Amino acid sequence: MAVAQAKLDATEARLAGLTMPEAAGWTKPAREEALARLLAVGLPGRRDEYWKYTRPDLLTAPEPKPAALFDHGEPPVFDEIERLKIVFVDGVFDAAASDPLEGEGLEIARLAEAQGADIHWAKDLYGQLEKDGQDPVERPLATLNTAFATDGVLIRATGKVKKPVSLMYLHRSETSDAVLHHVIRVEEDAELTVLENGPAAARFNKVMEVDVAENGSFHHIRAQGRDHERQAATHLFGRVAKEATFKSFTLTVNGVLTRNEIVLDIRGDDAVAHVAGACVGDGDFHCDTTVFITHDAVNCESRQVFKKVLRNGATGVFQGKILVKEGAQKTDGYQISQSLLLDDDAQFYAKPELEIYADDVACSHGSTSGAIDEEALFYLRSRGVPQADAQDLLVLAFLAEAIEEIESEEIADCILARLEGWLSRHRG
Amino acid sequence: MLEIKNLHVKLEEEDKQILKGVDLTVEAGKVHAIMGPNGSGKSTLSYVLSGRDGYEVTEGSATLEGEEILEMEPEERAAAGLFLAFQYPVEIPGVGNMTFLRTAVNAQRKARGEEELSAGDFLKVVREKAKSLKISPEMLKRPVNVGFSGGEKKRNEILQMAMLEPKMCILDETDSGLDVDAMKLVAEGVNALRDEGRAFLVITHYQRLLDHIKPDVVHIMADGRIVKTGGPELALEVEQNGYADILSEVA
Ligand SMILES: Nc1ncnc2c1ncn2[C@@H]1O[C@H](COP(=O)(O)OP(=O)(O)O)[C@@H](O)[C@H]1O
Ligand SMILES: [Mg+2]
């Protein structure tokens, strides 16, 4: 199908402001190939079916819309956790604020520096999982990222890594436009936890490609905050091998526009993949969670648990698909997306989909949208709990199923504390 | 303690008068019972007193220790010492029973300007009171009333009452759906709380409960009014003859 000229013009306009790194080294072929793919399809447009509920304009415009900085006065979300910090300020690596890029069972390199080196494991992955994830639905913002990423980290876990690797994205310039690309490989029997937090930039385009080898285990917890005006498009591509575990949780608070795409390819038998998210939005807030999980192996389990609390015109979107390929027998697929609308102005759009080509599978999905339970609210108040506290308690209860997906209690507590802080600032 | 005068209540949503002039005074230290046919307005009375939405007071007043309560928020009434054991306790998925209890106790203490209970002290008290009501530690951990049997829900109401130590306790059909043993537990829980400074309003259909919680005064409610008031013997009369005789007598 021919791509509309207007779309190609818009793509050209966006690309005019981007340059491929000069010393792209071994990433060069992948970048050039990505650019060719991008030019063939163009950036997302308003008419695209996959962008029906989210306007891509802010994400594809030649320049980012300036985003004011916001300080809620709370310490950074994972400060209590002992971790290996890697800091990016407006998408630029900050060596002074970061820990040395080393740890037991870990190999870490910056993408910007590694391109000259021969990092064989990453060569096969950079842009590859992104490319695999383009079928059957195109994700051009991720392709743009592969072509033009300025930096990122390459992380290889070869053993059971104790300290989480923590990617912190700080936002200091109101007009920053960051494009980061991370590649992660969890080797056989290895374990790795990756944390991400921060508003990152005025506009942020991020790709994370994660390859989990046999019996490997990958945990990912991210907290997307906090600046109200920031815009972000993120893609998480995962490939999950035999008996491997892949778990990802996302907290989204504030932000005029967030589009989080998660694309998982379950390739090996007996693997487990869980993705979950909690989001709270007040006012000019739009959070789109788009998930595509492909089951291509026997006896695998996937779970999607996404909960959104919206008020005052905030909008939530969930597009979630489970594709069970022929032969992927004994698949156990679960998907739930729910929104709690705290007033009549909040909106939630959900498009849950199942596509199944195997006969011996158990898949279920459900999507609901509802108001606060008035009976429960009265019950709590009749016991002396003030209205605002009672409502917060019910909001947290609503989000609980998603937060329970975080295995580490310590990390879950960080997320809860952040949520409680947000709720206390957004009452009435 | 509780003084209700000429209370008229209609539904907010439709033009339906439910309470048509209720007069009732419950003195401190006393147990009053209300009996009456289904639909006579007993639950409505308890909801209006505790501040539930959906009702409109068109006339009359209700005071707790001299203070008008009908204009207060539900949580203010609770902090003032009013407690309703619900006829149908509400399930709250995602909120642990223990969290719920601690939040409630501390919210009321805070509203009264008292210090919050420490986690340790709180735990000790809850465990002890739960034990006497045969509420297992596992039930305390579960979400509020979720998956509880009818009897467990009612015992959980009494546990809340025991923890909150209200001055005015209203029990709406706390006995319905209970077997004899569970009813005894509930009655023991209530009797343990009987005190000179505390009053009870026990709504029930059956003499059964009143064998265990001895009332000082019994009222009969019909069609939105208290139509007869007497001593404990009134409950026995209802038990033997039903409401028909009493209702025809007052009609
Ligand atoms: N929210 C409501 N909507 C409609 N009818 C109601 C509502 N609440 C109470 N009623 C009606 O009011 C009357 C009294 O009900 P209720 O107070 O529950 O009686 P009781 O507890 O004595 O059985 C009944 O006719 C009942 O149907
Ligand atoms: Mg009733």
Side-chain angles (χ1 to χ4, degrees), chain A residues 91-394:
Chain A
V92 178
F93 179 69
D94 183 341
S98 301
D99 290 325
L101 301 186
E102 59 193 28
E104 216 182 298
L106 267 180
E107 290 169 20
I108 310 183
R110 278 178 55 206
L111 176 66
E113 287 183 342
Q115 294 168 145
D118 177 29
I119 299 188
H120 62 94
W121 67 266
K123 257 188 202 166
D124 300 336
L125 292 174
Y126 184 87
Q128 187 58 48
L129 300 193
E130 175 265 305
K131 184 182 170 189
D132 293 345
Q134 299 293 329
D135 185 37
V137 196
E138 285 145 8
R139 306 169 199 282
L141 287 165
T143 313
L144 175 145
N145 182 301
T146 295
F148 295 103
T150 53
D151 208 346
V153 283
L154 312 174
I155 306 173
R156 182 179 184 216
T158 53
K160 296 191 190 320
V161 182
K162 286 202 194 75
K163 265 200 243 175
V165 174
S166 175
L167 304 172
M168 299 172 68
Y169 309 117
L170 307 185
H171 176 202
R172 300 240 173 88
S173 148
E174 295 192 356
T175 55
S176 53
D177 193 14
V179 184
L180 293 181
H181 193 120
H182 309 303
V183 180
I184 297 169
R185 162 100 177 154
V186 180
E187 298 292 351
E188 262 181 46
D189 305 320
E191 285 176 17
L192 177 68
T193 296
V194 171
L195 308 175
E196 290 185 285
N197 75 288
R203 181 166 69 182
F204 189 37
N205 179 326
K206 190 205 67 192
V207 165
M208 182 182 273
E209 294 174 295
V210 183
D211 189 29
V212 188
E214 205 172 307
N215 200 39
S217 163
F218 175 70
H219 290 263
H220 173 231
I221 300 95
R222 67 175 152 177
Q224 293 178 310
R226 69 191 157 177
D227 295 6
H228 297 271
E229 295 168 7
R230 57 141 191 93
Q231 310 118 50
T234 78
H235 290 81
L236 173 61
F237 295 98
R239 186 163 68 188
V240 191
K242 194 172 165 222
E243 290 168 15
T245 301
F246 181 108
K247 291 195 178 179
S248 172
F249 172 90
T250 302
L251 170 73
T252 308
V253 294
N254 303 347
V256 289
L257 179 56
T258 308
R259 164 95 163 195
N260 292 325
E261 296 194 22
I262 301 175
V263 185
L264 298 185
D265 183 9
I266 306 176
R267 288 276 187 89
D269 297 346
D270 306 304
V272 172
H274 291 194
V275 288
C279 117
V280 286
D282 187 353
D284 194 3
F285 172 89
H286 183 108
C287 175
D288 174 331
T289 305
T290 291
V291 182
F292 198 115
I293 297 186
T294 304
H295 280 264
D296 199 5
V298 174
N299 199 34
C300 294
E301 172 193 311
S302 75
R303 248 175 101 79
Q304 303 172 48
V305 181
F306 289 91
K307 305 257 186 167
K308 294 182 162 70
V309 178
L310 306 164
R311 80 185 321 160
N312 199 12
T315 303
V317 175
F318 176 80
Q319 305 189 96
K321 179 155 181 169
I322 306 175
L323 169 65
V324 181
K325 289 202 169 173
E326 208 180 321
Q329 302 296 7
K330 310 264 183 227
T331 288
D332 178 1
Y334 174 79
Q335 177 196 90
I336 188 152
S337 75
Q338 295 181 312
S339 74
L340 179 60
L341 308 178
L342 295 181
D343 56 38
D344 294 339
D345 296 331
Q347 294 177 63
F348 179 60
Y349 303 97
K351 191 179 175 194
E353 288 180 284
L354 288 176
E355 197 177 324
I356 301 176
Y357 298 102
D359 49 21
D360 183 15
V361 301
C363 284
S364 66
H365 65 162
S367 179
T368 63
S369 195
I372 207 104
D373 179 348
E374 291 294 334
E375 290 285 322
L377 194 63
F378 173 63
Y379 191 59
L380 286 164
R381 294 178 71 192
S382 79
R383 298 307 183 237
V385 183
Q387 159 129 24
D389 294 337
Q391 176 155 324
D392 287 357
L393 207 56
L394 293 177

Side-chain angles (χ1 to χ4, degrees), chain B residues 42-43 87 172-173:
Chain B
K42 305 182 297 295
S43 291
Q87 180 172 2
D172 190 1
E173 294 202 25

Side-chain angles (χ1 to χ4, degrees), chain B residues 84-85 158 161 169-174 190 200-203 213:
Chain B
L84 168 64
I158 303 302
M161 189 166 87
C169 310
I170 305 174
L171 284 74
D172 190 1
E173 294 202 25
T174 300
V190 171
F200 291 85
L201 187 60
V202 180
I203 299 171
I213 307 174

Side-chain angles (χ1 to χ4, degrees), chain B residues 11 14 16 18 37-44 55 87:
Chain B
L11 291 177
E14 48 182 299
K16 185 172 173 186
I18 298 178
N38 277 331
S40 55
K42 305 182 297 295
S43 291
T44 302
Y55 305 101
Q87 180 172 2

